[in-house]
Amino acid sequence: MLKNLDKLLQDKNIRPTAMRLLALEYISSQQTAVSLSDLEAAFHRADRITLYRTLKTFEEKGLVHSIMDGTGSVKYALCEEGCECAPEDMHVHFFCNKCQETICLPKSRIPKIPLPDNFKQEEVSLVIKGTCGSCS
Amino acid sequence: MLKNLDKLLQDKNIRPTAMRLLALEYISSQQTAVSLSDLEAAFHRADRITLYRTLKTFEEKGLVHSIMDGTGSVKYALCEEGCECAPEDMHVHFFCNKCQETICLPKSRIPKIPLPDNFKQEEVSLVIKGTCGSCS
DNA sequence: TAAACAATGCAATGCAATTGCAGGCGGCTT
DNA sequence: AAGCCGCCTGCAATTGCATTGCATTGTTTA
């Protein structure tokens, strides 16, 4: 299993340090998007800054994508296979008001929204808030 | 003109103080959504906290709605006539990466997104980022 | 092995949001 | 009219998250 993670890192040109392997293992084991604080809570012996930079590195290299769900803290989730994090690849995120978890809904693509003249779309973010399946 | 604003406040059960009238006048004169810092810059003699609470009051009473455009600072824009700030009323917001302004696109309603079983939608936020008409 | 570079850890800072508390002002009651 | 009360305002202080600088350690490579 760790071998797979190792390969995942290598494929994205990220040096597989112990910390990164552990962080990646944690992220991929979660069904929901994780915040820096989540990660910090999971590895209370690790330094918050290191975890912060680990997430940043993962994001830069296209291993995870960041989600701003409006809670004030950024969440991160694994990118799908072959995800380019391009606008066409962007999917919907769901934030549960009860359990406060953020979930990727990769099945639903964001529909194309007509823009006024001369407006150019570069990124798009769609967050739906409500109650998730486990909480309702 | 100020009379209209006064009425707007009264209609929403907000006591029309001088500060509130000025703040509302400023907000309604802007073509774009305003942040607390914008307001602070416009009235540098007023206290930031008072302006903060003014915006909060406006939001609670349904006079303005808040937009989290992902910049880290919350923006506020006037609600449309008869807007209930309900999911059905939510519209798309556009953030320009060049001029850093946030604009309401009330013409485009957010399409319905299919959710997994037992998921209940309460709010939805759709922010498109790119280049606005004035900047392109 | 030594130099070069990357990753880590600690400290400190910046920025936005938020709360507590005290003074002030107006409205309402008696 | 006097006084009470509640809302508005302003100042101080705190929190929380994101971010950077710098020194140290570990790893790669010539």
Side-chain angles (χ1 to χ4, degrees):
Chain A
M1 179 56 184
L2 279 185
K3 267 296 163 215
N4 290 343
L5 300 178
D6 197 285
K7 186 171 181 313
L8 231 83
L9 289 174
Q10 307 250 16
D11 284 354
K12 298 282 185 179
N13 267 309
I14 308 171
R15 268 209 227 152
T17 68
M19 186 77 261
R20 288 172 178 172
L21 280 169
L22 286 171
L24 179 56
E25 185 188 18
Y26 177 77
I27 296 174
S28 60
S29 75
Q30 298 301 115
Q31 306 303 311
T32 60
V34 305
S35 68
L36 174 55
S37 300
D38 293 335
L39 213 51
E40 199 186 1
F43 304 102
H44 57 277
R45 298 186 46 200
D47 186 62
R48 179 182 181 87
I49 314 302
T50 301
L51 294 171
Y52 168 75
R53 280 190 271 228
T54 300
L55 286 174
K56 279 290 182 197
T57 304
F58 285 0
E59 187 186 11
E60 270 169 28
K61 303 289 188 172
L63 185 57
V64 303
H65 59 268
S66 63
I67 311 154
M68 316 229 246
D69 54 16
T71 56
S73 55
V74 183
K75 305 285 171 60
Y76 298 86
L78 274 188
C79 288
E80 297 276 310
E81 187 91 18
C83 158
E84 304 290 338
C85 289
E88 316 82 76
D89 288 323
M90 287 316 284
H91 50 264
V92 180
H93 293 106
F94 187 91
F95 177 78
C96 176
N97 287 322
K98 282 199 184 154
C99 63
Q100 308 274 307
E101 299 285 0
T102 301
I103 306 163
C104 291
L105 300 179
K107 301 262 169 58
S108 0
R109 285 299 157 88
I110 297 181
K112 216 165 173 46
I113 306 282
L115 290 177
D117 282 352
N118 288 325
F119 278 59
K120 289 189 194 65
Q121 170 170 336
E122 285 157 20
E123 310 159 57
V124 58
S125 136
L126 206 178
V127 178
I128 299 178
K129 302 193 181 191
T131 313
C132 76
S134 318
C135 287
S136 59
Chain B
M1 179 55 184
L2 278 186
K3 266 297 164 217
N4 289 342
L5 300 178
D6 197 285
K7 187 171 182 311
L8 230 80
L9 289 174
Q10 307 249 17
D11 284 353
K12 298 282 184 180
N13 267 308
I14 308 171
R15 266 212 228 148
T17 69
M19 187 76 260
R20 288 173 177 172
L21 279 170
L22 286 172
L24 179 55
E25 185 188 19
Y26 177 77
I27 296 175
S28 60
S29 75
Q30 297 301 114
Q31 305 304 311
T32 60
V34 305
S35 68
L36 174 55
S37 300
D38 293 336
L39 213 51
E40 199 186 0
F43 305 102
H44 56 278
R45 298 186 46 200
D47 186 61
R48 179 183 182 86
I49 313 302
T50 301
L51 294 171
Y52 167 75
R53 281 191 271 230
T54 301
L55 287 175
K56 279 290 181 195
T57 304
F58 285 0
E59 187 188 9
E60 271 169 28
K61 302 290 187 173
L63 185 57
V64 304
H65 59 266
S66 62
I67 311 156
M68 318 229 245
D69 55 16
T71 57
S73 55
V74 183
K75 305 286 170 59
Y76 297 85
L78 274 188
C79 288
E80 298 276 310
E81 187 92 19
C83 160
E84 304 290 337
C85 288
E88 314 83 75
D89 288 322
M90 288 314 284
H91 50 264
V92 181
H93 293 107
F94 187 91
F95 176 77
C96 176
N97 287 322
K98 282 198 183 154
C99 63
Q100 308 276 306
E101 299 284 2
T102 301
I103 306 164
C104 291
L105 300 179
K107 299 264 170 56
S108 6
R109 284 299 157 89
I110 297 181
K112 216 165 173 46
I113 306 283
L115 291 177
D117 283 351
N118 288 326
F119 278 59
K120 291 190 194 64
Q121 169 170 336
E122 285 158 19
E123 312 159 56
V124 57
S125 137
L126 207 176
V127 178
I128 299 178
K129 301 193 182 192
T131 312
C132 76
S134 318
C135 288
S136 59

